[in-house]
Amino acid sequence: MNVPLFDPTTATEPLRERIDAALLEVSAAGQFILGPNVEAFEREFAEVVGASEAIGVANGTEAITIALRALGVGAGDEVIVPSFSYYASAEAIPPTGAVPVFCDVDPVTYISTAEQVKAVMTPRTKAVVAVHLFGNIAPVAEIEALGVPVVEDCAQAAGSVGPEGRPGALGSIASHSFYPSKNLGAFGDGGAITTSDKELAERVRMLRFHGSRDRVNYEEIGFNSRLDEIQAAVLRVMLPQLSEWAKHRAAAGQRYSELGLGDLVTLPQPTAAATPAWHLYVVATDNPDRLAEQIGASGVESRGYYRSPIHEQPSMRAWRPAPGMLPGTDQAARRHLALPISATISDRQLEQVVTAVRDASDQ
Ligand SMILES: *Cc1c(COP(=O)(O)O)cnc(C)c1O
């Protein structure tokens, strides 16, 4: 039996009829942009996250750019972002006119600490993109206590819970992605911004609609960036299942640990009192590519997602820190390996993964 790295379809199979009915309703209603499903989803999603407002946008990358613009980030500013993340976390910064400044991560949690953020702060720092990577939770309140607003990048953390609440309600403003493979995935691209600051929410609504509040006056250069009715209708069927899916992801991580995986490789460590809905279950080992090949031979998929951290990408050349400045990032990039996890992964599959890793370690 093969164990796939991720499985976005099994969990939604029981919802198929309701999803199809919702899609037919949208088709019959004939309203495809900013209609009743988007409005209802915005309310429902805000409530789940614990923020007072949610604003649907086109994808999780533009969600970051628009959130930064809403905070007033522009030319001449610096925005701090971890280099060990999905590329889009940093790619979203230059379109505001600001430049990315890369901070390090803790290679055991894969999250930036407030100290690591502080180490690269300058008088030009206007905001921080704090990434809740792999579903783990960044210390947003500690970072904001340094005196800069945070955009939480929640793309990988739908369903995670921390002691101070859920990602998306921990700081000034937050971005979310509904890309199909994420913990809460639509049938295409989609994203949202959450905030409990009414003024910021109004700025986001203005920016997502070409910089206009009334569709008559265009006060700023904005974006054409909306969540569409079809995606919102699909997401409304899925949203009530999110907490169950998240529990399964958290329990799967727990089970990996109970099965002794931690004796074979370094397990990802949740940050203070967090219950991560692991989007990816990322372990660390000295020779991850060899391990991947060995477990692959027994049908277990795995992948090193960020072998080249963002600051090493050619497009980021101008903003690359000196070699050796990001030791936690370099270590995480070299050693990490994502093992299978999903909202429906079975106990047998988890056992098969651990057995494969054990057999590989014995060789
Ligand atoms: C997926 C992802 C994004 C971008 O989301 P899209 O909806 O694909 O644009 C941003 N940040 C992180 C950490 C992600 O994983």
Side-chain angles (χ1 to χ4, degrees):
M1 187 177 64
N2 274 18
V3 188
L5 185 54
F6 63 101
D7 172 8
T9 53
T10 306
T12 55
E13 264 157 32
L15 307 174
R16 179 74 50 194
E17 269 180 40
R18 289 173 53 209
I19 290 171
D20 288 350
L23 290 172
L24 284 176
E25 261 175 53
V26 175
S27 159
Q31 189 178 353
F32 299 108
I33 297 286
L34 296 182
N37 280 292
V38 171
E39 270 175 39
F41 176 71
E42 288 179 342
R43 270 196 313 277
E44 292 157 4
F45 187 66
E47 197 178 316
V48 165
V49 166
S52 62
E53 298 208 46
I55 302 99
V57 295
N59 57 67
T61 308
E62 281 186 345
I64 300 170
T65 307
I66 294 171
L68 289 168
R69 281 281 309 276
L71 287 170
V73 170
D77 295 331
E78 294 176 354
V79 175
I80 295 172
V81 64
S83 175
F84 191 74
S85 180
Y86 178 54
Y87 174 72
S89 301
E91 181 196 25
I93 297 167
T96 65
V99 298
V101 172
F102 294 103
C103 67
D104 209 4
V105 292
D106 175 340
V108 181
T109 61
Y110 303 107
I111 297 292
S112 298
T113 64
E115 291 70 35
Q116 288 171 322
V117 170
K118 194 173 171 202
V120 295
M121 273 180 74
T122 76
R124 289 178 176 230
T125 305
K126 184 84 180 211
V128 176
V129 176
V131 184
H132 301 300
L133 197 68
F134 305 143
N136 213 351
I137 300 185
V140 176
E142 279 178 52
I143 296 169
E144 289 206 325
L146 300 172
V148 280
V150 163
V151 174
E152 295 176 68
D153 180 347
C154 306
Q156 298 190 3
S160 294
V161 199
E164 273 127 50
R166 289 182 185 277
L170 306 176
S172 299
I173 191 164
S175 63
H176 306 260
S177 167
F178 307 122
Y179 181 80
S181 69
K182 305 283 161 124
N183 289 5
L184 179 64
F187 283 6
D189 278 311
I193 290 166
T194 53
T195 180
S196 293
D197 180 325
K198 198 159 180 291
E199 213 171 298
L200 276 181
E202 274 171 21
R203 275 189 58 73
V204 169
R205 285 184 197 283
M206 176 268 287
L207 288 166
R208 81 165 166 184
F209 195 94
H210 303 286
S212 175
R213 290 172 206 265
D214 57 8
R215 308 182 185 200
V216 178
N217 296 293
Y218 295 84
E219 58 191 87
E220 280 181 46
I221 297 297
F223 302 81
N224 175 3
S225 187
R226 279 103 43 150
L227 182 67
D228 66 67
E229 277 289 291
I230 287 180
Q231 303 311 331
V234 169
L235 288 165
R236 289 186 69 201
V237 179
M238 293 185 182
L239 185 61
Q241 307 302 314
L242 176 62
S243 83
E244 210 168 295
W245 293 342
K247 275 187 202 142
H248 194 100
R249 288 176 178 276
Q254 193 61 40
R255 190 75 189 120
Y256 268 140
S257 163
E258 287 162 13
L259 289 168
L261 185 62
D263 302 334
L264 309 168
V265 290
T266 307
L267 302 186
Q269 193 180 309
T271 49
T275 306
W278 299 113
H279 171 59
L280 297 172
Y281 194 76
V282 178
V283 301
T285 186
D286 284 337
N287 200 337
D289 296 330
R290 191 181 63 196
L291 179 61
E293 210 178 287
Q294 287 168 322
I295 64 178
S298 33
V300 174
E301 274 182 22
S302 64
R303 189 170 152 195
Y305 274 86
Y306 311 133
R307 209 56 83 210
S308 290
I310 304 175
H311 73 276
E312 286 177 8
Q313 298 299 334
S315 66
M316 297 288 157
R317 191 178 298 115
W319 308 301
R320 196 173 290 164
M325 291 297 284
L326 304 175
T329 301
D330 294 338
Q331 183 181 325
R334 201 169 54 242
R335 300 187 77 230
H336 79 286
L337 187 70
L339 296 179
I341 200 155
S342 74
T344 51
I345 192 165
S346 70
D347 218 53
R348 258 189 70 201
Q349 289 177 309
L350 294 166
E351 282 166 16
Q352 191 182 332
V353 173
V354 176
T355 302
V357 174
R358 184 169 290 120
D359 290 349
S361 312
D362 288 344
Q363 281 170 28

